[in-house]
Amino acid sequence: MKYRRLGASGLKVSEISLGSWLTYGGYVHDRQAEATLDKAYELGINFFDTANVYRAGEAEKVVGRALAKYPRSTCVLATKVRGPMGDRPNQEGLSRKHIMEQCEASLRRLGTDYIDVYYCHYPDDDTSLEETMRAMNDLVQQGKVLYIGVSNMNIQRLNEAIEVTTRNGWHPIVANQPLYNLFADEIEKEIIPACRRNGIGQVVYSPLAQGVLTGKYNTVDPAGLQCRASDEEGSQAVRHWLKESYVEKARRLQALADSFGVALSQLALAWVLRQDNVSSAIVGASRPEQVEENCRASGIRLEADAWELVRQALLEWSEV
């Protein structure tokens, strides 16, 4: 496993990180989830990502229990705040009240004294960035959070968050968690340049397009969804990518991956990691062997002409 600095901070995180969205705390049996987390740790993954809203806190509990057996200093734990944790007015959002209360709740569920990276999960139009970023800064001051991150922000909101923290002399944002994969590269235009200028590293999610970039889907038949029918969130997430155009592109990319001597999933992960501003790529895994294949992507460095072939292929297939 190779490691990179998280933005301009001194924190070193594994190039491949393990997430828990749509997997732990419900869909995957807890013992299987723990075995997968153990395999990740064994292979050198030190960066573990979750959120308070994943299975209403159950995912945090699974991650916390599984990692409790390891020295805390060897793990980098990331979680998030913003989504609804109840149906009352102050049980969601990025107000000071919700942030402070949910940080304490996440600490309890994770079974730890501090969170390494705490993200604002997505924007909150009802709360000023001044209030939000002050609360995040205060958590760092209190020692409950070590590093601040944001997620799912457009360039305008990201620039505003950077300006607020800089103007007030607060702890800087060091991580941004955006969508980024071979089918979705919008962050390359403005987000990555802005983050590079301000010492913010990307921790990208869905680098495998919810499994489509592993080559496991050969059909768009809804019956092929790898989610429980009762899990509407999971089904919607997969359906977003499980379209004939994406499946066909994945088939064609498979041929390129074969010519390079790597698995399609490894090609997809290496593609996002080719960016020096990407600190880590979050993968989801329900079985230990999935983690093993994904970890092999760490350290893959294809030549520039290989990436040019991928780029040209994607342009040629843009009308598929």
Side-chain angles (χ1 to χ4, degrees):
M1 179 60 63
K2 304 295 183 183
Y3 300 88
R4 299 185 178 191
R5 289 170 60 199
L6 184 59
S9 77
L11 183 65
K12 305 253 187 345
V13 296
S14 48
E15 287 188 335
I16 306 298
S17 44
L18 185 61
S20 55
W21 181 44
L22 306 179
T23 49
Y24 308 147
Y27 173 49
V28 177
H29 192 281
D30 287 359
R31 281 180 294 182
Q32 186 173 325
E34 184 169 355
T36 305
L37 285 153
D38 286 341
K39 176 58 69 174
Y41 186 89
E42 175 190 326
L43 294 171
I45 288 180
N46 74 341
F47 199 9
F48 301 90
D49 183 270
T50 188
N52 61 344
V53 291
Y54 296 168
R55 298 283 181 170
E58 291 303 311
E60 286 183 322
K61 293 177 183 179
V62 170
V63 171
R65 286 196 301 266
L67 298 180
K69 65 175 74 71
Y70 304 114
R72 181 65 181 86
S73 61
T74 63
C75 300
V76 179
L77 281 174
T79 192
K80 311 176 191 75
V81 59
R82 164 61 177 94
M85 294 299 288
D87 57 6
R88 295 303 181 99
N90 292 308
Q91 291 183 302
E92 67 175 312
L94 291 174
S95 67
R96 181 180 184 85
K97 176 178 174 62
H98 189 64
I99 289 173
M100 294 300 188
E101 290 174 349
Q102 283 306 304
C103 180
E104 293 293 342
S106 287
L107 288 171
R108 288 193 299 271
R109 288 189 290 262
L110 289 166
T112 186
D113 296 327
Y114 65 94
I115 296 163
D116 292 283
V117 184
Y118 200 35
Y119 292 97
C120 298
H121 204 162
Y122 53 96
D124 175 9
D125 292 335
D126 291 331
T127 305
S128 71
L129 277 168
E130 191 98 13
E131 176 176 343
T132 296
M133 300 316 296
R134 181 189 294 275
M136 298 293 279
N137 180 74
D138 287 349
L139 288 173
V140 177
Q141 295 285 74
Q142 294 168 13
K144 296 175 182 178
V145 168
L146 302 188
Y147 298 95
I148 296 169
V150 296
S151 180
N152 296 306
M153 283 188 171
N154 61 27
I155 188 61
Q156 180 181 351
R157 186 62 66 95
L158 177 63
N159 283 333
E160 290 173 359
I162 293 169
E163 190 278 329
V164 165
T165 56
T166 302
R167 170 165 44 84
N168 288 287
W170 293 336
H171 285 270
I173 298 164
V174 301
N176 178 49
Q177 189 171 130
L179 169 67
Y180 187 44
N181 60 47
L182 277 161
F183 301 149
D185 61 358
E186 291 82 3
I187 66 169
E188 291 182 0
K189 184 178 180 181
E190 296 179 303
I191 296 291
I192 284 181
C195 287
R196 187 177 283 121
R197 289 193 301 271
N198 290 279
I200 301 171
Q202 310 302 315
V203 181
V204 304
Y205 70 85
S206 291
L208 300 177
Q210 295 305 121
V212 173
L213 282 168
T214 67
K216 72 177 181 179
Y217 294 111
N218 294 311
T219 175
V220 296
D221 183 351
L225 291 176
Q226 300 298 306
C227 295
R228 296 186 186 276
S230 61
D231 186 355
E232 184 58 29
E233 182 183 15
S235 296
Q236 288 179 356
V238 177
R239 286 194 188 99
H240 177 79
W241 300 110
L242 196 60
K243 298 173 183 174
E244 187 57 47
S245 59
Y246 292 136
V247 172
E248 178 58 27
K249 288 177 184 178
R251 291 193 195 103
R252 299 183 183 189
L253 285 166
Q254 180 70 67
L256 273 178
D258 291 342
S259 71
F260 299 150
V262 299
L264 175 56
S265 60
Q266 293 161 1
L267 176 68
L269 290 168
W271 185 84
V272 301
L273 290 168
R274 84 195 193 287
Q275 290 276 0
D276 61 1
N277 186 243
V278 172
S279 298
S280 188
I282 305 171
V283 300
S286 56
R287 303 188 309 276
E289 53 268 29
Q290 292 175 324
V291 177
E292 291 185 271
E293 178 173 305
N294 291 333
C295 282
R296 293 191 189 103
S298 179
I300 291 179
R301 303 291 185 262
L302 297 181
E303 298 296 328
D305 57 350
W307 292 129
E308 181 60 21
L309 286 174
V310 173
R311 187 189 70 81
Q312 290 178 0
L314 288 171
L315 287 173
E316 290 171 5
W317 304 336
S318 60
E319 298 303 318
V320 171

